[in-house]
């Protein structure tokens, strides 16, 4: 189960996301996961597009994806997002894809992210600190 | 450097692969890596589409991607593929993306793969054994 | 305005769909339009994936897309679908993308489709006749 | 046949570009066509990414695509690009996709393009005039 405090976003598989095996192509899961992370940021008052426009590039530096089962055409699923501090400059996103309504685990993932400023140097933007506060 | 025995495939970044940060989107690297794996299979006499048509689904069960630097519009790069046996039923692909001509490491990746037959059961198809033979 | 009898589907732009101009890439609109057509088929009791599995390939033979304005990150929009008979063997889908909530027209499109059976020959599957019946 | 003066670019279908019908998805042809147009621009000394960075957005305002045959996994093909002036502010690109080596016509397309400057107004950038000069 997803941690009850985690952010969750609902999706439905679109046919163009399936490949010739009739299942969602591996790369497409990264699209789902990225979209859920960006929506999670918005839910905490952060906008990825606005950060980019301000010269703050939040970047994935490592991804680990464990593919458990495949999604197929029209499958409904939710993507969860949890976050914690990995190190002084790095955030660690934990994500899961859970098929609905049968709650089958489809994919487990971890994304390590860091931010780079306009000068190309890594830093921890003050804006991201909000992600590490306890939910009230 | 890529191991000199590894298979390598040349690519050029296409503009539609770049996102609003002006860099190749994270998910697109999985496309590059998959295409290189499939071309590697072909170089060893195996065809992914033909395997799929025969009811043999070769699937990624875990991916680890270390993003070192970003590729940008028109960048040229090569993707290497090496393979070894991970366990009785699993193959381990090691892949690298190296920008050209400056040989900068862009991405390091590992893909653990397994095959499932028409009955939905994992097995190690005889066809894949050729991948584990020494190159002559 | 969309014809009030037309099928409509709601979408939100995802960041990975935007290109380095910061707008939705031209090809992505075809994804939106295809997904809306397939959902429209489902709303009429037809399933594109099931038709494909039965050996009936419904194919686009001509597309006309008039791009009026660009969609950007997080924009909400609806895609409408209307259909009529183009000729004995062909269907004509009329589609529009309308941004919400300001009702700005983003794109007008026409898709001419035909079906091919397992023998590779064009035919008009009985299943598609339901699309041409009047809504009650 | 493509006009012998037209620019041509060679491609090979990648498996991730095929959908559950086992053929290249309709939207992917727009990717191929865009990439060929951008490479054509480069061959004439123009860089799409650089134009975008200068605040000149060259945009497709109408696309017409006639899908004649489908491409499949591993098919090789060339994409041609020809250009002419459509009106004072608009360019008309004619493009074809031809499968190799059997020269089967896969797709015929027309793209009408216009440029918008930093002020959001359409104009005809001096840079594009080079496209309309006769080849020597």
């Amino acid at each position: 189960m997803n941690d009850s405090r985690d952010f969750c976003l609902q999706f439905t598989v679109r046919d163009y996301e399936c490949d010739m095996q009739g299942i969602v192509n591996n790369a497409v899961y990264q699209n789902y996961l990225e979209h859920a992370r960006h929506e999670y940021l918005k839910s905490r008052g952060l906008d990825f597009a606005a950060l980019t426009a301000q010269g703050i590039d939040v970047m994935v530096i490592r991804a680990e994806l464990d593919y458990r089962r495949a999604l197929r055409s029209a499958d409904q699923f939710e993507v969860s997002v949890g976050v914690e501090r990995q190190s002084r400059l790095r955030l660690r996103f934990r994500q899961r894809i859970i098929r609905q309504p049968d709650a089958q685990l489809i994919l487990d993932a971890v994304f390590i992210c860091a931010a780079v400023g306009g000068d190309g140097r890594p830093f921890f933007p003050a804006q991201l600190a909000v992600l590490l506060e306890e939910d009230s």
Side-chain angles (χ1 to χ4, degrees), chain A residues 1-2 12 34 39 58 62 74 80 82 90 92 96 102 117:
Chain A
M1 286 301 301
N2 291 319
T12 301
E34 178 196 284
E39 290 297 303
V58 180
R62 179 173 167 82
S80 66
R90 296 183 175 180
R92 185 173 184 274
R96 284 192 149 182
D102 67 357

Side-chain angles (χ1 to χ4, degrees), chain A residues 72-83:
Chain A
R72 295 179 175 276
S73 173
D75 278 352
Q76 295 185 292
F77 59 100
E78 68 175 34
V79 182
S80 66
V81 187
V83 69

Side-chain angles (χ1 to χ4, degrees), chain A residues 1 5 9 14 18 25 33 35 55 57 60 80 82 86-87 90 92 98 108 121 123 131 134 136:
Chain A
M1 286 301 301
R5 297 168 310 171
L9 193 66
R14 302 175 183 174
C18 297
N25 186 269
L33 295 163
H35 183 54
D57 281 330
V60 171
S80 66
Q86 161 91 356
S87 66
R90 296 183 175 180
R92 185 173 184 274
I98 308 280
D108 252 324
R121 292 211 179 158
F123 75 121
L131 301 180
E134 284 302 310
S136 55

